[in-house]
Amino acid sequence: MLDEEAYKKKGLSYIDETNNSGNFNIKKGCFNTDNTYFLRGGIFIPTKNPHSFENNIEKNIECLFEKFDKKTRDKFKNQDEVKYKGLLSNNKSTFLDILSIPNIQEIIHWLYMNKYLIHYGVIDNLFYSISDILEPLIMSSNDVVYPKNKADFFKSTVTEIAYNHQKEFVNLAKKYNVPNVVRERLVNFYKEFKVFIIGHIGEIPDKLPIAYTKEFVDKAVDYDSASILLSGNKEDVLIDKYVEEYTVWVSSFPSSYYIIDKQDAIERSFKNLNIPESLAVFEDSKQNSGLQLADYIVNILKTYIDFLNNYETSDLLKIVQEEKNNPTLIEFATILHRSREYSPLLNISVMSRFLLKKMQFFENILIDKSECVK
């Protein structure tokens, strides 16, 4: 569902992605990638004239690059393109570590002071893949209302279990040829899948998602729905393409202008869908400073999401208490908050409820401790 107000908003957006695979599939008894999620993102600049070069954004970005340390500035002079790793002055790679790097601090402070926004789209590969399996347990043809809140916790819980027991999950998927399970084997598949879930439900620390999960596991399976969802798919392919991460995004703000780092598969899909160049174009990042900046931003986002994935909420609270005077961290949280306030569609996520709650929790408590947020 798209926010109607989004259609009235205008902006110039630069888009890149990082460390992503072309699809998500089961290959040789395991997943084809160690990537937990697909991530695309970058910068969104609200402006009344997104197609006009009068906004001088390219010049502003180049001025930002001039603030980097001398070693990095020299790289810009001698190389066609300086990638994210070229900004790092040492081997630091974790989120809190990179926030201590002057080049990263310059980027975040520049975004903060200019009130530019960050957009991103995240797809948790396993969460997305498991959804088709779980839908026949969530809603049947006899149900009137879709229980979204309970369903999100159910999917998140099963995703957590599947991540913790990947080999067992993959073996079960291979045994029944997920995502194409023949009608005659659906009963046995769901019987074994329920055993898999209940066998590990005790590992989940929170009572509420456990209760929701048991409620859905006890439901009768809508085999008609299961037959449709688990058939007609590419063999062993759980996610075929991520092109919707781009098409849904650009359609959310049809009065805006999108500049996307060149990707042949995505560009072909845009042409097949007749998406006009007045809405979105693909350019080589070597010739576009905005796309280079998008590369930096999406990599910062990746370290941020990885960071949150590694901690429980109680640990994050301790970290905030230790980092409460870290201006770069507070500015980063404020930028994300401003982005959501401008439009929830700037942050499109298909992910575990547990991670989503941690993102919101971490950003909100940081902002509460900031005296400079307006």
Side-chain angles (χ1 to χ4, degrees):
M1 297 293 291
L2 298 180
D3 179 1
E4 290 184 6
E5 286 299 311
Y7 287 93
K8 302 176 184 178
K9 296 180 178 179
K10 296 181 180 180
L12 173 62
S13 181
Y14 294 91
I15 307 172
D16 197 7
E17 60 180 73
T18 180
N19 195 33
N20 296 324
S21 56
N23 60 26
F24 185 57
N25 62 59
I26 298 172
K27 188 175 182 180
K28 296 181 180 179
C30 60
F31 299 128
N32 65 314
T33 175
D34 292 330
N35 295 340
T36 304
Y37 50 84
F38 168 93
L39 173 64
R40 66 108 184 106
I43 182 174
F44 186 89
I45 302 150
T47 173
K48 294 180 179 179
N49 301 300
H51 294 85
S52 173
F53 288 99
E54 293 178 4
N55 55 42
N56 291 322
I57 184 59
E58 293 281 348
K59 184 181 289 186
N60 289 344
I61 294 172
E62 290 170 6
C63 289
L64 164 66
F65 293 171
E66 285 297 317
K67 295 181 180 180
F68 293 158
D69 61 67
K70 184 178 184 304
K71 184 178 179 181
T72 305
R73 295 199 307 272
D74 289 342
K75 290 179 184 177
F76 275 93
K77 294 176 182 177
N78 300 321
Q79 299 176 20
D80 291 334
E81 179 178 10
V82 178
K83 302 298 284 184
Y84 169 74
K85 288 185 178 179
L87 297 184
L88 308 184
S89 54
N90 47 44
N91 294 323
K92 294 179 178 179
S93 60
T94 64
F95 179 61
L96 292 179
D97 283 341
I98 68 167
L99 294 188
S100 67
I101 296 172
N103 292 334
I104 303 299
Q105 292 176 342
E106 289 288 357
I107 292 171
I108 293 173
H109 186 64
W110 179 83
L111 290 168
Y112 176 79
M113 293 303 295
N114 284 285
K115 295 189 176 180
Y116 293 153
L117 307 175
I118 287 178
H119 71 79
Y120 62 81
V122 186
I123 292 180
D124 183 310
N125 287 322
L126 203 45
F127 180 90
Y128 186 92
S129 302
I130 281 176
S131 293
D132 279 354
I133 300 173
L134 299 183
E135 285 299 334
L137 284 167
I138 295 169
M139 189 171 187
S140 68
S141 57
N142 296 324
D143 296 321
V144 178
V145 179
Y146 188 83
K148 187 179 186 309
N149 186 54
K150 290 184 178 181
D152 285 347
F153 274 113
F154 176 41
K155 293 176 184 178
S156 300
T157 302
V158 177
T159 300
E160 191 87 1
I161 292 171
Y163 272 127
N164 292 336
H165 302 277
Q166 286 189 31
K167 187 174 181 180
E168 189 176 349
F169 173 78
V170 169
N171 287 342
L172 182 60
K174 289 293 290 183
K175 179 179 178 180
Y176 288 96
N177 199 39
V178 174
N180 292 301
V181 184
V182 296
R183 179 73 185 230
E184 295 76 17
R185 303 191 72 196
L186 283 172
V187 173
N188 287 337
F189 167 67
Y190 275 98
K191 182 178 179 180
E192 287 196 39
F193 192 60
K194 288 182 177 184
V195 169
F196 167 70
I197 295 170
I198 294 302
H200 298 293
I201 193 68
E203 301 164 11
I204 304 299
D206 300 324
K207 293 181 179 179
L208 190 60
I210 290 177
Y212 291 155
T213 300
K214 288 181 176 179
E215 179 181 327
F216 285 118
V217 169
D218 287 340
K219 283 188 67 175
V221 179
D222 183 347
Y223 290 110
D224 290 335
S225 172
S227 183
I228 294 171
L229 291 169
L230 298 178
S231 65
N233 303 303
K234 286 187 178 180
E235 288 298 306
D236 297 328
V237 177
L238 299 174
I239 302 177
D240 185 17
K241 296 176 182 177
Y242 296 98
V243 66
E244 287 185 2
E245 261 303 294
Y246 290 89
T247 55
V248 170
W249 161 236
V250 299
S251 66
S252 300
F253 300 94
S255 297
S256 294
Y257 187 49
Y258 303 85
I259 301 175
I260 307 171
D261 192 22
K262 263 195 171 298
Q263 297 169 74
D264 291 341
I266 303 295
E267 191 169 1
R268 283 195 301 271
S269 296
F270 270 51
K271 288 180 179 178
N272 292 336
L273 292 168
N274 296 316
I275 295 176
E277 290 190 355
S278 59
L279 179 60
V281 294
F282 292 81
E283 294 187 6
D284 188 336
S285 57
K286 292 179 181 178
Q287 279 80 50
N288 192 299
S289 59
L291 289 175
Q292 293 173 34
L293 178 60
D295 170 66
Y296 307 152
I297 292 172
V298 78
N299 275 283
I300 294 169
L301 282 167
K302 182 181 184 304
T303 63
Y304 172 60
I305 295 172
D306 288 342
F307 161 75
L308 294 178
N309 261 330
N310 290 329
Y311 291 97
E312 297 298 328
T313 303
S314 57
D315 297 320
L316 292 175
L317 182 58
K318 294 177 183 177
I319 291 171
V320 168
Q321 291 170 343
E322 295 170 358
E323 300 286 335
K324 64 182 179 181
N325 296 318
N326 184 333
T328 305
L329 183 59
I330 294 173
E331 286 179 356
F332 181 75
T334 303
I335 295 164
L336 293 177
H337 178 75
R338 286 174 177 169
S339 302
R340 286 200 309 272
E341 287 289 302
Y342 181 80
S343 173
L345 292 172
L346 283 177
N347 309 143
I348 301 175
S349 302
V350 181
M351 65 168 69
S352 162
R353 174 64 69 91
F354 304 136
L355 176 57
L356 187 61
K357 286 184 68 176
K358 283 195 284 187
M359 292 176 74
Q360 294 172 346
F361 171 79
F362 190 66
E363 292 161 18
N364 288 339
I365 58 176
L366 274 169
I367 291 172
D368 287 343
K369 291 182 177 296
S370 171
E371 297 178 356
C372 59
V373 176
K374 303 296 182 183

